[in-house]
């Protein structure tokens, strides 16, 4: 590798004042407001600093939404790949791909993927757990006002459901006595009263139990298994033999890499190859695949976004996804591929079926866009590509330790297409992110996701800002 020299300074043309144009999310003619500048060239470190402050690029145009004036506030989100654990829904997507590659199996049912404007743009609504641990940089006041409407509506739905449950559930006195006798906190216990004898009830069977209670019991048994001494004492105190404990599983859960790179049989039906190509017309591999990539982009935009073919031609494709202001850099302590803009191409049997446009920066991999062949939407390529990019970020981290984040684009609370990014559980302010001369006070927000439950409420704990 040739010796690396320091990059040239960034050259940008700043547009004074705010720019108003049609919003791509709510279609408001003049509702989207942002600051902008044209980046003739830019170092990867300068762009890293900009996206950490809420800026983002579209081709060579770099913009930052005016959060308190724009119709659809856009919050920068990022994922911690090193702490990421695939959920059940993610494992299903990966297994679906493996079955298709190994045996050619096509899943039954219609694909419910929702087109988005980021790498995860066709992620299904149930895949919230992909954002296992995220940071959102935003203005707390703006975020609170955006979430206020949804919180109120969810509270009303919760009150209605509680009223309905109140008529079906009673507090059983005997259950309360058992609760008090066990030494546990004396909260009210809701006990479902089964049907009366003579009305279809089978008294020989045990009463029905809530699924939530059964999950709690399984979790308690699992914790007891982890501490054999504690489990022994617990069962002895209840006068039960220890041999009734179910055997603990010795197998460790598979990592994301194990699920993605699982070996295929020699006679596999299909072959999938992922190639990382620099987004540069000086690269021969990028040039040789340009026409095929362009055709795929046009097919995707017409089928998914209902764009007219003239609106997604060669010039638009080149401006949007090929031209980049980032200067390629290859420092000695950086990744082997270097820093800059790339196309991550997914080749299936010698044909491109998806392309993920990404920026590799000093501290992160930033998702720019994803387009794919609609004929293969049954493979959930948006979710699959995002998982591959998370694994790719972890791979880069092994060589470059400071590169440890995966930026997933914007979260737009008011946009129905962004529901797959909707926060489950609570939003908690952890620390100050920093204040800048042209920005309002920004905070780092940590989102903790849960599984199998819908959004009940979004809670915000404020902390002192700078």
């Amino acid at each position: 590798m040739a010796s690396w020299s320091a990059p040239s300074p960034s050259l940008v043309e700043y547009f004074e004042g705010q720019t108003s144009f049609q919003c791509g999310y709510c279609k408001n003619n003049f509702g989207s407001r942002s600051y902008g500048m044209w980046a003739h060239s830019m170092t990867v470190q300068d762009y890293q600093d900009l996206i950490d402050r809420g800026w983002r690029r579209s081709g060579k145009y770099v913009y930052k939404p005016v959060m308190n004036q724009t119709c659809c506030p856009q919050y920068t989100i990022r994922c911690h790949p090193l702490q990421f654990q695939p959920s059940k829904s993610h494992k299903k997507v990966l297994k679906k791909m493996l079955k298709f590659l190994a045996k050619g199996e096509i899943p039954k049912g219609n694909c419910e993927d929702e087109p988005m404007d980021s790498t995860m743009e066709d992620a299904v609504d149930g895949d919230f757990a992909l954002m296992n641990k995220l940071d959102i940089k935003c203005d707390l006041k703006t975020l609170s006002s955006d979430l206020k409407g949804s919180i109120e509506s969810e509270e009303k739905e919760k009150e209605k459901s509680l009223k309905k449950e109140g008529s079906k559930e009673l507090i059983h006195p005997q259950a309360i006595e058992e609760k008090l006798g066990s030494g546990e906190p004396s909260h009210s216990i809701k006990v479902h009263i089964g049907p009366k004898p003579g009305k279809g009830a089978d008294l020989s069977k045990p009463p029905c139990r809530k699924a939530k209670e059964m999950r709690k019991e399984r979790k308690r048994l699992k914790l007891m298994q982890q501490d054999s001494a504690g489990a022994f004492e617990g069962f002895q105190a209840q006068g039960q033999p220890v041999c009734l404990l179910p055997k603990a599983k010795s197998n460790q859960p598979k990592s994301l890499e194990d699920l993605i790179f699982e070996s295929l049989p020699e006679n596999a039906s299909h072959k999938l190859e992922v190639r990382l190509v620099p987004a540069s017309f000086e690269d021969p591999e990028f040039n040789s695949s340009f026409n095929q990539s362009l055709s795929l982009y046009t097919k995707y935009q017409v089928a998914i976004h209902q764009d007219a073919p003239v609106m997604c031609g060669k010039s638009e494709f080149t401006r949007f996804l090929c031209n980049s202001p980032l200067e390629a850099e290859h420092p000695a302590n950086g990744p082997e591929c270097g820093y800059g803009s790339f196309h991550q191409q997914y080749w299936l049997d010698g044909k491109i079926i998806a392309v993920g446009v990404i920026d590799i920066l000093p501290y992160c991999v930033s998702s720019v866009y994803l387009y794919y062949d609609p004929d293969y939407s049954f493979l959930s390529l948006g979710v699959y590509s995002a998982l591959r990019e998370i694994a790719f970020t972890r791979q880069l981290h092994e060589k470059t330790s400071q590169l440890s984040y995966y930026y997933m684009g914007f979260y737009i609370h008011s946009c129905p297409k962004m529901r797959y990014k909707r926060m489950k559980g609570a939003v908690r302010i952890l620390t100050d992110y920093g204040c800048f001369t042209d920005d309002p006070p920004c905070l780092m927000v940590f989102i903790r996701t849960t599984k199998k439950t819908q959004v009940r409420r979004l809670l915000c704990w404020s902390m002192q800002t700078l």
Side-chain angles (χ1 to χ4, degrees):
M1 182 181 294
S3 60
W4 176 78
S5 57
S8 308
S10 299
L11 179 60
V12 300
E13 183 180 353
Y14 184 74
F15 302 138
E16 187 176 356
Q18 301 176 7
T19 304
S20 300
F21 48 89
Q22 185 184 30
C23 179
Y25 304 101
C26 68
K27 305 304 179 183
N28 188 328
N29 287 332
F30 300 99
S32 181
R33 301 180 66 87
S34 64
Y35 301 105
M37 58 184 171
W38 188 264
H40 297 275
S41 65
M42 182 174 289
T43 65
V44 291
Q45 183 59 58
D46 285 344
Y47 185 57
Q48 176 75 68
D49 295 337
L50 283 172
I51 65 171
D52 286 344
R53 288 160 173 80
W55 293 76
R56 196 157 182 83
R57 77 174 184 90
S58 175
K60 290 191 173 184
Y61 180 72
V62 186
Y63 64 98
K64 180 183 188 298
V66 184
M67 301 295 280
N68 60 347
Q69 297 183 32
T70 190
C71 54
C72 297
Q74 303 165 43
Y75 302 101
T76 300
I77 55 178
R78 68 182 184 181
C79 171
H80 291 266
L82 304 181
Q83 302 174 7
F84 176 79
Q85 293 293 335
S87 67
K88 289 184 178 179
S89 60
H90 303 144
K91 293 176 182 178
K92 287 181 180 179
V93 171
L94 297 175
K95 290 178 181 178
K96 179 168 56 177
M97 175 63 79
L98 289 173
K99 289 181 180 179
F100 173 74
L101 296 176
K103 304 178 182 179
E105 293 185 8
I106 298 177
K108 298 180 180 179
N110 295 328
C111 181
E112 299 179 356
D113 291 350
E114 186 73 31
M116 300 299 163
D117 71 337
S118 70
T119 297
M120 294 199 44
E121 61 183 330
D122 71 336
V124 285
D125 188 55
D127 286 322
F128 300 100
L130 181 59
M131 308 201 147
N132 195 17
K133 291 188 177 180
L134 303 174
D135 288 336
I136 287 188
K137 192 192 75 173
C138 62
D139 182 7
L140 179 60
K141 295 181 180 178
T142 308
L143 178 61
S144 300
S145 62
D146 290 340
L147 304 183
K148 185 177 179 181
S150 65
I151 293 175
E152 292 176 355
S153 61
E154 289 164 2
E155 285 296 316
K156 291 180 181 178
E157 293 178 2
K158 186 176 180 180
E159 290 177 1
K160 290 181 182 179
S161 63
L162 288 175
K163 289 180 180 180
K164 291 181 180 179
E165 292 177 0
S167 59
K168 298 179 181 179
E169 296 176 346
L170 297 175
I171 299 178
H172 203 291
Q174 183 178 357
I176 297 177
E177 291 178 4
E178 293 176 356
K179 188 77 173 179
L180 293 174
S182 64
E184 299 181 9
S186 58
H187 300 300
S188 298
I189 305 172
K190 293 180 180 179
V191 180
H192 283 278
I193 304 300
K196 295 181 180 180
K199 293 187 177 182
D202 189 354
L203 299 179
S204 63
K205 295 182 179 180
C208 296
R209 301 169 62 190
K210 285 187 176 180
K212 184 177 181 181
E213 295 176 355
M214 297 174 69
R215 289 197 298 269
K216 285 184 177 180
E217 184 175 345
R218 286 197 296 267
K219 184 177 181 180
R220 185 166 57 250
L221 288 174
K222 187 176 180 180
L223 292 174
M224 293 174 68
Q225 293 167 14
Q226 294 175 355
D227 186 358
S228 57
F232 181 82
E233 295 174 359
F235 270 69
Q236 272 195 335
Q238 298 178 14
Q240 299 181 15
V242 183
C243 60
L244 294 180
L245 269 174
K247 295 182 179 179
K249 295 182 179 180
S250 58
N251 296 333
Q252 295 293 330
K254 290 185 177 181
S255 66
L256 178 61
E257 289 77 8
D258 293 337
L259 294 168
I260 291 177
F261 303 109
E262 186 173 335
S263 59
L264 296 172
E266 294 182 359
N267 58 344
S269 300
H270 301 283
K271 179 183 179 181
L272 179 67
E273 182 183 1
V274 181
R275 303 177 188 174
L276 186 69
V277 181
S280 172
F281 288 99
E282 297 178 359
D283 185 82
E285 193 171 358
F286 180 83
N287 272 325
S288 62
S289 61
F290 177 82
N291 290 332
Q292 187 177 167
S293 187
L294 170 60
S295 300
L296 179 62
Y297 170 76
T298 304
K299 182 179 181 180
Y300 169 81
Q301 292 295 124
V302 172
I304 301 300
H305 293 289
Q306 289 78 48
D307 288 350
V310 295
M311 299 299 295
C312 45
K314 180 178 179 180
S315 59
E316 289 77 17
F317 173 65
T318 302
R319 176 199 60 79
F320 180 34
L321 297 176
C322 299
N323 291 343
S324 171
L326 302 183
E327 299 292 335
E329 300 179 20
H330 294 82
N333 60 345
E336 293 182 3
C337 59
Y339 299 122
S341 299
F342 298 85
H343 283 197
Q344 202 165 38
Q345 302 173 343
Y346 294 78
W347 291 77
L348 180 67
D349 301 331
K351 170 187 173 183
I352 299 179
I353 63 169
V355 176
V357 184
I358 60 174
D359 292 332
I360 300 179
L361 304 176
Y363 303 112
C364 72
V365 170
S366 175
S367 164
V368 178
Y369 202 72
L370 171 82
Y371 55 97
Y372 59 89
D373 191 337
D375 296 338
Y376 293 91
S377 59
F378 61 88
L379 292 174
S380 302
L381 292 173
V383 179
Y384 181 79
S385 64
L387 295 172
R388 290 291 299 241
E389 289 174 4
I390 290 175
F392 178 62
T393 306
R394 288 156 66 144
Q395 180 183 350
L396 295 178
H397 173 78
E398 295 179 0
K399 175 69 169 60
T400 310
S401 59
Q402 71 270 16
L403 202 161
S404 56
Y405 290 105
Y406 173 55
Y407 280 66
M408 308 176 68
F410 285 131
Y411 169 75
I412 303 168
H413 182 71
S414 58
C415 180
K417 291 183 179 181
M418 293 291 174
R419 285 177 181 171
Y420 77 97
K421 294 182 180 180
R422 193 174 181 182
M423 295 160 281
K424 301 176 80 176
V427 178
R428 182 157 56 99
I429 307 301
L430 291 185
T431 181
D432 297 323
Y433 194 73
C435 295
F436 308 96
T437 56
D438 60 342
D439 291 337
C442 294
L443 300 170
M444 188 77 76
V445 178
F446 176 81
I447 298 178
R448 177 169 297 169
T449 60
T450 57
K451 297 179 181 179
K452 300 181 181 179
T453 56
Q454 296 300 323
V455 177
R456 294 296 183 184
R457 192 177 181 184
L458 298 174
L459 304 175
C460 296
W461 288 271
S462 61
M463 293 185 67
Q464 183 180 1
T465 60
L466 292 176

